[in-house]
Amino acid sequence: MMTSLALEIETSFRITRQYMSRGREFVVRFALRTLLCACLLGISLAIPYFGDVLSLVGAFSTTVIFAIIPITCYIKLKGWRTIRWYTWVMSVGSIFVGLIGCILGSVSSIQALVRDINNDHRRHQHSN
């Protein structure tokens, strides 16, 4: 995901061989990508329980992106009335499985986040 972000930034700032020499493009591209990694590192250090938050975002977004959106787009492109009944059954079943995965993954991630927050509060109470 960072690669696509980096490529978009590079395109918008014209960091390509069309506008720069080969050496300069490499140095600027290297510096930009290093800066992006440093920013991500700073964000991950600043957000408490970053792993749990990332797990929650991943649980929600992955199932939606790979199981729900493609099927709904397919149905929208083909037309609601032109799809055969067995395709409807498979589509609804796949969306249902995707929603179940989304819900279970999100609940699991929220439980881990709550557990880590509670453990952190207990540690601070015992240390005081």
Side-chain angles (χ1 to χ4, degrees), residues 25-85:
E25 177 207 13
F26 175 78
V27 170
V28 173
R29 189 179 299 251
F30 182 80
L32 174 72
R33 292 184 181 200
T34 302
L35 179 66
L36 283 173
C37 286
C39 288
L40 183 62
L41 175 65
I43 290 169
S44 67
L45 291 174
I47 296 176
Y49 318 110
F50 184 71
D52 293 333
V53 172
L54 198 60
S55 176
L56 177 61
V57 170
F60 182 76
S61 64
T62 302
T63 54
V64 170
I65 289 172
F66 291 112
I68 298 170
I69 291 176
I71 296 168
T72 54
C73 288
Y74 172 78
I75 291 171
K76 182 69 176 166
L77 286 172
K78 292 292 274 185
W80 298 99
R81 294 191 175 103
T82 61
I83 297 177
R84 295 191 171 112
W85 69 270

Side-chain angles (χ1 to χ4, degrees), residues 105-120:
S106 298
V107 166
S108 174
S109 297
I110 290 170
Q111 287 173 342
L113 184 60
V114 168
R115 184 177 51 249
D116 288 346
I117 290 171
N118 287 336
N119 288 339
D120 196 34

Side-chain angles (χ1 to χ4, degrees), residues 59-60 63-64 67-68 92-104:
F60 182 76
T63 54
V64 170
I68 298 170
V92 170
S94 298
I95 289 173
F96 181 72
V97 169
L99 285 173
I100 294 297
C102 180
I103 291 167
L104 292 177

